[in-house]
Amino acid sequence: MATAASGKATKKPAAKKTAAKTPSAGRGKLVIVESPAKAKTIGKYLGRGYTVKASMGHVRDLPKSTMGVNVDADFEPKYLVPRDKSKLVKELKSSVAAHKEIYLATDPDREGEAIAWHLVAATDAESKPVHRVVFHEITPGAVTAAMEHPREIDMDLVDAQQARRILDRLVGYSVSPLLWKKVKRGLSAGRVQSAAMRIVVDREREIEAFQPVEYWSLDADLAKITDGKSTKRDQFRAAIHRVHDKKAELATGEEASVIVDALDGAYWQVQSVQRRQTRRRPQAPFTTSTLQQEASRKLGYSVRRTMQIAQELYEGVDLGAEGTQGLITYMRTDSTNISTQVQHETRDVIAATFGADYVPEKLPFYKSRAKGAQEAHEAIRPTNPARDPQSVKSILSAPQFKLYNLVWQRYMASQMAPALLDSTRADIGAGKEVEVKAGNAPFIFRATGSIVTFQGWMAVYQTGRDEGDTDELDKGALPELAEGEPLNLLKLLPEQHFTQPPPRYTEATLVKALEEQGIGRPSTYVPTIATLQARNYVTLEEKKLVPTELGFVVNDLLVEHFPDIFDINFTSQMEAELDDIASGEREWVPTLQEFYQPFTATLKNAEQTMEKVKIRDEPTDEVCEKCGKPMVIKLGKYGKFLACSGFPECRNSKPLLTRIGVECPTCHQGEIVERRSKRGRKFYGCERYPDCDFVSWNKPIVEPCPNCGGVLGEIGRGGERVKCNSCGWQGEKSMVMSEAAATAEA
């Protein structure tokens, strides 16, 4: 049976109670951390006289079966030691009793502070001298310094975490049962989770309502005339900019054609040239959010995978002669601050590696863009700037190396001098020669170009881009142009375009949106997105988050009946109030009271007015092989599946297979379908499994291998290359497809 304990947190008196200095019998000092890997690393630093144990995360929590919060007694929580932690807590309790002093070295955030507080209560450590130690990096120096400067448990941080936990419990355990009653069992609602779902659903509705608008561009390929001829080096492209002194906006092909006709036989001349030097400053070192975004763009990692690898790098890696050390600082942070001492050390590394010119005049300073960022913390950086990625490549796993390389490069770049660019803008006049030479050209085309004259931070890092992002450097440099210089027209390029809908969110861009709107905190991003997928509110399609019908239904019910609770601005305001509790500017109980009274009134009204909603089954063309009735797509606990529409008379069901239009190369009888491994990773196999055992991690394509005729599978982040499953041949997918099309046409 799980053991229970009251968890009502009070203000400062409770902190003093946990830091009692009454001596007791024991055999040295006990240090409790959260993970075994962290315990192993720190144990090596501290040596004799210290015992290091791991709590494996939280040791107490609210019960799963009941609310566990007494709202009539100032929201007093009833904490339990979970069954799966009872043996561990018993061992920790024995260790506490056997040692003279207790050091709680849990993570340096609110969650870690709360775990430390719970450890005191769960292990009966009140009678011992209890010290709270915090370090943002796991290195010998940081751990030694932390042990030399212990403090008491910060009850403001504990209260902030506890207020969040209780607030989320009040919302989840009140609204979720309502969804079970009105929609289906197994659903959940949450203060942050449902706000995140609303962002995804609202974006999908924007996409559905989007009406593309036609527009046209008109470019001109031009060339300088040197000694009566033009070389490829003299060629450049300009875009229509003004027509008869008005901004050029071409809405139709007819408008573009009128200009093309008017330019037949036109005279082209450089009207003006502007040159300027620009400074491009580096981006800030990583926060949790920006690390997740950049790891998604550059490495293709999910937010969960990014944090798993970052945790490994933080907790410690065996470096051989150097021993076990953490390679990066704490990875759950929304601060962009860097220790001044580390900045000075970094400047020495930059000067030695790149040269003195790459060291900026002043120490860079970055202000976090996240609402409520904890500026007292540090950004994510390498613990030792001099430890370049190549020096540890042979020690790290491939994913660890890639992420460490990303962190190191981003951090080093953030401390380097700005890049210098020479940017050129040339306006080109076109029309009748007399008008153009007089400066009255009816058509003005504009060409721009940039080149890097000093790399600065760009010598070590290139920023990743989201869908649709462009960079002025993509255009390259313009040739040397002079005002009044005549030009040759090589070709006019009218092109039709349509405005595009906003892109769907990826995991990383959703995290960015949550951070920008002040919803959740670094520790909540991963579990929030995981819950949306686990509840089948969203699916991940080609790395984009797509709301399901269930997601639409639940979102609309919550928005209609709880307009304030799941409002994005309201959720952001609650986060700000939790931050105020953490800083000691606000009391946690009155904050919950302010929330709970209107919430109960809204809940009562929703229970009376919310109507039952049935999730429609999706029809299919497939026929049940047992009774002949149509099969339908149903939504179950683990996602969509096929079931007979004759249920309950016919209970036939089977997995929903996504076909990719490729015949199985092994049996030539079935078709290749998408499947999921037990860990959720997508792979491809024959629909006749287990009769046919063909499988491939790479998505097969129809075109055969040009080398051996085997099956080609897509590789690379965008599937732009292919690899043969049989002979290993690799090549460009577009080349293979075009050659296959040419063969078929012949």
Side-chain angles (χ1 to χ4, degrees):
M1 188 71 182
T3 57
S6 171
K8 184 176 179 181
T10 57
K11 299 303 288 181
K12 298 300 182 281
K16 291 177 181 176
K17 183 178 178 182
T18 64
K21 304 299 181 184
T22 305
S24 60
R27 61 163 194 268
K29 301 171 182 179
L30 173 67
V31 181
I32 303 179
V33 298
E34 289 180 56
S35 76
K38 193 174 175 182
K40 183 179 179 181
T41 304
I42 293 171
K44 291 180 179 179
Y45 299 162
L46 297 178
R48 285 186 168 185
Y50 290 90
T51 302
V52 186
K53 297 278 188 179
S55 73
M56 306 297 291
H58 276 279
V59 292
R60 296 198 310 171
D61 199 2
L62 298 172
K64 290 185 177 181
S65 57
T66 61
M67 178 78 75
V69 178
N70 188 346
V71 296
D72 297 322
D74 289 340
F75 302 96
E76 181 179 0
K78 182 181 181 181
Y79 290 115
L80 303 174
V81 175
R83 292 181 187 277
D84 61 348
K85 286 292 185 74
S86 58
K87 182 180 178 182
L88 174 64
V89 170
K90 187 176 180 181
E91 292 172 357
L92 290 174
K93 194 172 180 180
S94 297
S95 292
V96 166
H99 287 80
K100 291 181 179 180
E101 294 183 72
I102 313 302
Y103 288 80
L104 302 174
T106 47
D107 286 346
D109 55 16
R110 296 177 200 173
E111 207 73 24
E113 205 73 21
I115 291 173
W117 180 72
H118 282 296
L119 278 166
V120 173
T123 62
D124 297 336
E126 293 94 340
S127 62
K128 301 275 183 174
V130 174
H131 312 284
R132 173 75 168 117
V133 291
V134 172
F135 31 81
H136 296 272
E137 58 185 74
I138 302 178
T139 58
V143 171
T144 300
M147 297 298 290
E148 290 174 352
H149 299 89
R151 61 168 172 80
E152 296 180 350
I153 291 175
D154 186 333
M155 288 309 299
D156 289 329
L157 295 179
V158 173
D159 286 348
Q161 189 277 340
Q162 187 160 235
R164 172 191 289 280
R165 187 75 183 94
I166 294 172
L167 184 62
D168 290 343
R169 176 57 66 100
L170 293 173
V171 173
Y173 272 53
S174 299
V175 180
S176 297
L178 185 59
L179 293 176
W180 303 346
K181 190 185 301 182
K182 302 297 184 179
V183 186
K184 60 176 290 187
R185 291 197 64 82
L187 303 182
S188 68
R191 186 180 55 86
V192 174
Q193 164 201 321
S194 299
M197 182 170 71
R198 184 172 183 177
I199 291 174
V200 176
V201 168
D202 286 351
R203 173 59 59 86
E204 192 69 19
R205 289 213 161 104
E206 281 184 67
I207 295 169
E208 290 176 349
F210 181 81
Q211 295 292 326
V213 176
E214 180 185 13
Y215 69 97
W216 283 69
S217 63
L218 178 59
D219 292 345
D221 279 347
L222 301 164
K224 283 168 58 75
I225 305 169
T226 306
D227 297 330
K229 60 182 180 180
S230 299
T231 65
K232 194 168 185 179
R233 186 183 301 173
D234 296 325
Q235 298 174 13
F236 64 98
R237 180 167 292 184
I240 188 73
H241 179 59
R242 300 190 72 81
V243 177
H244 299 297
D245 286 332
K246 293 182 179 179
K247 184 179 179 181
E249 293 180 343
L250 309 181
T252 64
E254 288 74 16
E255 293 179 11
S257 295
V258 168
I259 297 177
V260 170
D261 292 341
L263 289 170
D264 185 23
Y267 177 77
W268 295 76
Q269 184 188 72
V270 179
Q271 299 286 288
S272 65
V273 180
Q274 293 184 12
R275 296 181 178 88
R276 62 192 178 96
Q277 186 181 75
T278 59
R279 296 161 68 89
R280 182 175 291 189
R281 300 188 181 280
Q283 289 186 304
F286 283 133
T287 61
T288 300
S289 167
T290 54
L291 174 63
Q292 291 171 347
Q293 292 168 49
E294 198 75 338
S296 174
R297 296 185 192 106
K298 288 193 163 186
L299 307 178
Y301 291 168
S302 67
V303 293
R304 180 182 290 278
R305 180 161 171 73
T306 296
M307 296 310 288
Q308 285 174 338
I309 300 167
Q311 182 93 28
E312 294 168 4
L313 295 174
Y314 164 70
E315 291 184 339
V317 175
D318 188 350
L319 300 177
E322 292 184 71
T324 301
Q325 295 197 33
L327 296 189
I328 65 171
T329 53
Y330 190 55
M331 64 286 160
R332 293 187 185 90
T333 177
D334 48 19
S335 171
T336 53
N337 284 348
I338 297 294
S339 153
T340 303
Q341 177 186 339
V342 174
Q343 283 186 297
H344 283 293
E345 293 171 4
T346 304
R347 292 166 74 85
D348 294 338
V349 176
I350 293 170
T353 307
F354 300 97
D357 290 345
Y358 288 81
V359 180
E361 293 180 11
K362 298 179 180 179
L363 292 178
F365 171 76
Y366 300 94
K367 185 168 179 60
S368 177
R369 296 181 181 180
K371 289 185 180 180
Q374 307 299 302
E375 297 291 354
H377 295 166
E378 275 202 82
I380 303 170
R381 61 166 175 81
T383 55
N384 179 2
R387 185 180 291 118
D388 69 274
Q390 290 300 323
S391 68
V392 292
K393 185 173 183 179
S394 61
I395 297 171
L396 303 179
S397 67
Q400 288 174 337
F401 170 75
K402 289 177 182 178
L403 197 67
Y404 179 67
N405 188 54
L406 193 66
V407 171
W408 187 87
Q409 289 182 340
R410 173 71 166 242
Y411 169 69
M412 296 301 290
S414 75
Q415 303 302 303
M416 292 171 73
L420 300 181
L421 280 63
D422 272 353
S423 299
T424 305
R425 188 182 77 189
D427 282 352
I428 315 298
K432 294 180 180 178
E433 185 172 353
V434 63
E435 293 177 318
V436 174
K437 287 185 173 180
N440 297 317
F443 304 103
I444 300 293
F445 284 69
R446 176 165 287 178
T448 58
S450 294
I451 58 170
V452 177
T453 57
F454 174 66
Q455 284 190 306
W457 63 272
M458 294 173 66
V460 70
Y461 188 74
Q462 295 295 323
T463 306
R465 303 187 204 172
D466 286 321
E467 185 179 332
D469 289 350
T470 58
D471 192 305
E472 61 180 298
L473 289 174
D474 293 341
K475 297 179 180 179
L478 291 178
E480 279 294 327
L481 299 173
E483 190 172 318
E485 181 179 2
L487 300 169
N488 272 344
L489 172 67
L490 303 178
K491 186 187 294 183
L492 284 173
L493 303 163
E495 187 174 353
Q496 182 186 39
H497 306 272
F498 291 93
T499 54
Q500 296 297 309
R504 285 176 170 142
Y505 286 106
T506 63
E507 289 186 351
T509 56
L510 178 58
V511 166
K512 182 179 180 182
L514 293 173
E515 182 185 50
E516 289 175 345
Q517 299 190 51
I519 298 172
R521 286 296 178 261
S523 62
T524 65
Y525 298 145
V526 170
T528 295
I529 293 175
T531 301
L532 291 180
Q533 295 180 58
R535 298 288 181 269
N536 287 305
Y537 293 152
V538 301
T539 58
L540 201 59
E541 299 179 11
E542 297 181 347
K543 297 191 176 181
K544 304 291 178 64
L545 294 168
V546 183
T548 61
E549 183 185 358
L550 179 63
F552 278 113
V553 168
V554 171
N555 176 75
D556 293 349
L557 287 174
L558 296 179
V559 170
E560 178 184 354
H561 295 280
F562 298 89
D564 293 331
I565 308 304
F566 299 112
D567 177 75
I568 290 169
N569 292 328
F570 176 83
T571 306
S572 176
Q573 178 59 33
M574 284 303 306
E575 292 291 352
E577 292 180 8
L578 291 171
D579 291 341
D580 290 342
I581 295 171
S583 61
E585 299 172 27
R586 192 180 185 96
E587 298 289 331
W588 74 278
V589 172
T591 300
L592 291 180
Q593 288 171 337
E594 289 175 20
F595 166 82
Y596 191 67
Q597 290 176 358
F599 171 67
T600 52
T602 303
L603 179 65
K604 186 174 181 181
N605 182 64
E607 289 172 340
Q608 296 171 349
T609 60
M610 187 183 289
E611 296 181 357
K612 277 195 171 186
V613 178
K614 183 175 176 60
I615 303 297
R616 300 187 303 261
D617 296 332
E618 296 179 42
T620 71
D621 296 330
E622 195 158 341
V623 175
C624 176
E625 65 272 20
K626 293 187 177 180
C627 72
K629 291 184 178 179
M631 299 288 280
V632 294
I633 299 173
K634 289 182 174 288
L635 188 61
K637 184 177 180 181
Y638 301 104
K640 292 183 177 181
F641 65 97
L642 278 173
C644 180
S645 59
F647 181 87
E649 289 78 17
C650 178
R651 295 179 174 270
N652 184 28
S653 66
K654 52 188 177 181
L656 179 64
L657 303 177
T658 302
R659 303 174 187 276
I660 64 171
V662 178
E663 181 187 89
C664 175
T666 299
C667 69
H668 301 286
Q669 298 178 38
E671 191 174 325
I672 303 300
V673 296
E674 284 184 10
R675 297 188 183 275
R676 294 275 177 180
S677 69
K678 291 182 179 179
R679 294 192 175 185
R681 184 180 174 187
K682 185 188 294 184
F683 70 98
Y684 302 88
C686 180
E687 65 178 328
R688 295 181 61 247
Y689 177 84
D691 295 330
C692 177
D693 61 359
F694 172 82
V695 291
S696 171
W697 288 115
N698 302 322
K699 182 178 181 180
I701 65 172
V702 173
E703 291 75 15
C705 172
N707 186 50
C708 73
V711 177
L712 293 174
E714 295 178 354
I715 59 174
R717 287 190 59 192
E720 68 280 357
R721 291 181 59 78
V722 288
K723 179 180 180 180
C724 180
N725 279 18
S726 302
C727 70
W729 179 89
Q730 294 188 31
E732 297 294 328
K733 178 181 173 183
S734 57
M735 181 194 73
V736 173
M737 294 178 70
S738 61
E739 287 182 358
T743 302
E745 191 174 323

